[in-house]
Amino acid sequence: MTAEQGTRSRTAAANQTFIRDQVKAYILEHNLKAGDPLPNEPTLMAQLGVGRHPLREAMKALQAVGIIEIRHGYGTYVGEVTLQSLEDGLSFRMSQSMGGDLRDIRNVLEVRRALEVGLADDVVAWFTERGSERLDEIVARMEAKAARGEYFPEEDWAFHLALYEPLGNSLVIDLLSVFWRTFAEVDARLPGARYSANDAAGWHRDLLEALRGGDPGDYAKSMKDHFVGIQTRFDD
């Protein structure tokens, strides 16, 4: 069977899957990196035995998730894959959840808790060896704002970012930033009373003190307590 005959025998949906899989396979087989050029449209049509319209549709789908980048007038290049599609999907689902049982919002918070508690050993090991001066400064800013009755979202994110950046796992940072931003979008609309700024500052002070203590179990407990506090937003 020729490639053209194979294309005709596939459904439109199957043809789209075939094209996307072949383009991804080409990138992997040729060890292409972000910014590397891909073959032009006529070449891909000939190699895959597909028409212009289905190829373009498949390439748009690959572009939507960041696998490729189409630069009009210049060509098609390997993209730099991000978690934007995950963030967009989570944000939509959490907004839908606001009109129901809040399950998707709870689920996102539970995943974030599992990730942060699960990193307790690595975080404590790193800061035990190197000190926590940067975290000290951030918590001090939190407490100063809390004393004025102000919340501190920038410092809050900076604290958690400072915990995990030293571990060198960029995927952890990317995932946490997605969870953080999507939760922040719905936080003000959650039914329960918001915790106080002083409460939030206290959670972070407790985390810092547990970190200084050097016991991963104590630190993990403090992190769990932190999330228990956040979950008051679900109380109606």
Side-chain angles (χ1 to χ4, degrees):
M1 180 184 294
T2 66
E4 185 176 354
Q5 290 171 329
T7 299
R8 286 200 299 267
S9 69
R10 290 190 293 269
T11 65
N15 198 36
Q16 286 294 297
T17 300
F18 167 78
I19 297 170
R20 293 195 299 268
D21 287 347
Q22 289 299 305
V23 172
K24 288 185 286 186
Y26 181 92
I27 293 170
L28 295 174
E29 289 168 4
H30 290 80
N31 198 30
L32 300 181
K33 306 300 181 186
D36 288 343
L38 289 168
N40 60 27
E41 190 174 78
T43 300
L44 285 174
M45 289 168 56
Q47 287 180 352
L48 303 180
V50 298
R52 178 173 283 106
H53 178 70
L55 177 62
R56 287 183 175 178
E57 289 300 307
M59 298 301 269
K60 287 178 183 177
L62 291 173
Q63 180 177 232
V65 295
I67 292 175
I68 68 164
E69 178 186 359
I70 300 172
R71 304 176 191 172
H72 295 289
Y74 294 93
T76 303
Y77 300 80
V78 177
E80 187 168 351
V81 181
T82 68
L83 297 183
Q84 187 61 53
S85 58
L86 171 64
E87 182 171 343
D88 292 344
L90 278 179
S91 179
F92 182 73
R93 287 183 59 173
M94 291 170 74
S95 293
Q96 283 185 312
S97 188
M98 284 298 302
D101 59 7
L102 307 179
R103 180 174 299 175
D104 284 325
I105 302 172
R106 294 177 189 271
N107 289 345
V108 166
L109 194 60
E110 287 176 6
V111 172
R112 183 186 152 200
R113 179 182 61 189
L115 183 57
E116 296 208 53
V117 171
L119 289 168
D121 286 352
D122 293 338
V123 170
V124 170
W126 196 93
F127 283 96
T128 297
E129 290 183 5
R130 297 169 180 83
S132 57
E133 290 79 8
R134 182 181 176 191
L135 295 172
D136 290 334
E137 295 171 0
I138 296 171
V139 172
R141 295 202 304 270
M142 290 180 176
E143 292 171 336
K145 287 190 173 182
R148 300 193 297 269
E150 300 174 10
Y151 286 92
F152 38 81
E154 291 183 4
E155 287 80 9
D156 200 341
W157 170 242
F159 181 89
H160 289 267
L161 184 62
L163 287 175
Y164 306 115
E165 272 188 331
L167 303 184
N169 189 329
S170 61
L171 183 57
V172 167
I173 302 300
D174 289 345
L175 285 171
L176 287 176
S177 65
V178 167
F179 299 148
W180 183 279
R181 288 192 295 267
T182 53
F183 186 82
E185 288 178 8
V186 299
D187 186 24
R189 293 180 283 151
L190 290 172
R194 191 175 188 185
Y195 46 80
S196 72
N198 282 323
D199 286 339
W203 299 332
H204 291 87
R205 172 59 67 183
D206 289 345
L207 278 168
L208 180 54
E209 294 304 323
L211 191 60
R212 284 174 171 158
D215 185 329
D218 289 344
Y219 174 80
K221 182 182 182 302
S222 291
M223 184 63 79
K224 291 175 183 177
D225 291 344
H226 176 23
F227 279 94
V228 169
I230 296 174
Q231 286 167 338
T232 61
R233 301 294 288 114
F234 297 99
D235 297 333
D236 45 29

